[in-house]
Amino acid sequence: RRVVMLGWGAQVAGTALQLLDWAAEVTVVTAGRRFEGEERHRQALERHGVVLVEEEAAELVGPRHDLAAVALAGGRRIPCDLVFFSIAHHPQTRLARGLGCHITDEGCLDVDHCGRTSVEGVFGAGDVTPGIQLVQVAAAKGAIAGVTCAQSLAGEPGATDAPAPGPAADAEVGGD
């Protein structure tokens, strides 16, 4: 299938190249902005046949459920079957920075496998942390960070440690 990727951030290059695993062709359209990637990103796109178009997309052309093209503001149409969006992503870490959390060189919140930051009692997950930026991944990492956080409130050291066992099922409840 023919794919148009709408976005202008450096991350678009990696996503566009990954789409080539199952797309016949990929075109990046930057919404009229200058592509924010480095020269090496541009070269990688070119080397793999991904066209970079720094023009504004004006319209998705075709009836519902039957996309035919992306029309550019200048009038040109790029034939496509699917459109992906990857609008410039910049992790919002101002609060974490204010709390003294370590930030990676890429600007993400530095967390361990359970979502713990460098500041005790502060946890993170989702698009402020490094890694694949997908809703499913964010939800899974959020669940892990949430469980770890809840267990930390009970004095448990981490999500992979089992909490102390509760009372036996046949134990008397309540009492006199």
Coordinates of all heavy atoms in Angstrom, one line a residue, residues 10 13 17 34-47 52 54:
A10 N 12.0 14.9 13.9 CA 13.1 14.0 13.6 C 12.6 12.5 13.7 O 13.0 11.7 13.0 CB 14.3 14.2 14.5
A13 N 11.4 10.2 10.6 CA 12.3 9.4 9.8 C 12.3 8.0 10.2 O 12.1 7.1 9.4 CB 13.7 10.0 9.8
L17 N 10.6 4.9 8.0 CA 11.5 3.7 7.6 C 10.9 2.4 8.1 O 10.9 1.4 7.4 CB 12.9 3.9 8.0 CG 13.7 5.1 7.4 CD1 15.0 5.3 8.0 CD2 13.8 4.9 5.9
R34 N 9.6 23.1 8.0 CA 10.9 22.5 7.6 C 11.1 21.2 8.4 O 10.8 21.2 9.6 CB 12.0 23.5 7.9 CG 13.4 22.9 7.7 CD 14.5 24.0 7.4 NE 15.8 23.5 7.4 CZ 16.4 22.7 6.6 NH1 15.6 22.2 5.6 NH2 17.6 22.3 6.6
F35 N 11.6 20.2 7.8 CA 11.8 18.9 8.5 C 12.9 19.1 9.6 O 13.9 19.7 9.3 CB 12.3 17.8 7.5 CG 12.6 16.5 8.1 CD1 11.7 15.8 8.8 CD2 13.9 16.0 8.0 CE1 12.0 14.6 9.3 CE2 14.3 14.8 8.5 CZ 13.3 14.1 9.2
E36 N 12.6 18.7 10.8 CA 13.4 19.0 12.0 C 14.6 17.9 12.1 O 15.4 18.1 13.0 CB 12.6 19.0 13.3 CG 11.7 20.2 13.3 CD 10.8 20.2 14.5 OE1 10.8 19.2 15.3 OE2 10.0 21.1 14.7
G37 N 14.6 16.9 11.3 CA 15.6 15.9 11.4 C 17.0 16.4 10.9 O 17.1 17.5 10.3
E38 N 18.0 15.7 11.3 CA 19.4 16.0 10.9 C 19.6 15.6 9.4 O 18.8 14.9 8.9 CB 20.4 15.4 11.8 CG 20.2 15.8 13.3 CD 21.1 15.0 14.2 OE1 21.9 14.2 13.7 OE2 20.9 15.2 15.4
E39 N 20.7 15.9 8.9 CA 21.1 15.5 7.5 C 21.1 14.0 7.4 O 20.7 13.5 6.4 CB 22.4 16.1 7.1 CG 22.8 15.9 5.7 CD 21.8 16.4 4.7 OE1 21.1 17.4 4.9 OE2 21.7 15.7 3.6
R40 N 21.6 13.3 8.5 CA 21.6 11.8 8.4 C 20.2 11.3 8.3 O 20.0 10.2 7.6 CB 22.3 11.3 9.6 CG 21.6 11.5 11.0 CD 22.4 11.0 12.2 NE 21.8 11.3 13.4 CZ 21.0 10.5 14.0 NH1 20.7 9.3 13.6 NH2 20.4 10.9 15.2
H41 N 19.2 11.9 8.9 CA 17.8 11.5 8.7 C 17.4 11.6 7.3 O 16.7 10.7 6.7 CB 16.9 12.2 9.6 CG 17.1 12.0 11.1 ND1 17.6 13.0 11.9 CD2 17.0 10.9 11.8 CE1 17.7 12.6 13.1 NE2 17.4 11.3 13.1
R42 N 17.7 12.8 6.7 CA 17.3 13.1 5.3 C 18.0 12.0 4.4 O 17.3 11.5 3.5 CB 17.7 14.5 4.9 CG 16.9 15.6 5.5 CD 17.5 16.9 5.1 NE 16.7 18.0 5.7 CZ 15.6 18.5 5.1 NH1 15.2 18.1 3.9 NH2 14.9 19.5 5.7
Q43 N 19.2 11.8 4.6 CA 20.0 10.8 3.8 C 19.4 9.4 3.9 O 19.3 8.7 2.9 CB 21.4 10.8 4.2 CG 22.2 12.0 3.8 CD 23.6 12.1 4.3 OE1 24.0 11.2 5.0 NE2 24.3 13.2 3.9
A44 N 19.0 9.0 5.1 CA 18.4 7.7 5.3 C 17.1 7.6 4.6 O 16.8 6.6 3.9 CB 18.2 7.4 6.8
L45 N 16.3 8.6 4.6 CA 15.0 8.6 3.9 C 15.2 8.5 2.4 O 14.6 7.6 1.7 CB 14.2 9.9 4.2 CG 13.6 10.0 5.6 CD1 13.0 11.4 5.8 CD2 12.6 8.9 5.9
E46 N 16.2 9.3 1.9 CA 16.5 9.2 0.5 C 17.0 7.9 0.1 O 16.6 7.3 -1.0 CB 17.5 10.3 0.2 CG 17.8 10.5 -1.3 CD 18.8 11.6 -1.6 OE1 18.9 12.5 -0.8 OE2 19.4 11.5 -2.7
R47 N 17.9 7.3 0.9 CA 18.6 6.0 0.6 C 17.5 4.9 0.4 O 17.7 4.0 -0.4 CB 19.6 5.7 1.7 CG 20.5 4.6 1.4 CD 21.6 4.4 2.4 NE 21.3 4.5 3.8 CZ 21.5 5.6 4.6 NH1 22.2 6.6 4.1 NH2 21.2 5.6 5.8
L52 N 10.5 13.1 0.7 CA 10.3 14.1 1.8 C 9.7 15.4 1.1 O 10.4 16.0 0.2 CB 11.6 14.5 2.5 CG 11.5 15.5 3.6 CD1 10.5 15.1 4.7 CD2 12.9 15.8 4.2
E54 N 8.2 19.0 1.8 CA 8.1 20.1 2.8 C 7.0 21.1 2.3 O 7.3 22.3 2.1 CB 9.4 20.8 3.1 CG 10.4 19.8 3.8 CD 11.7 20.4 4.0 OE1 12.3 21.1 3.1 OE2 12.2 20.2 5.1

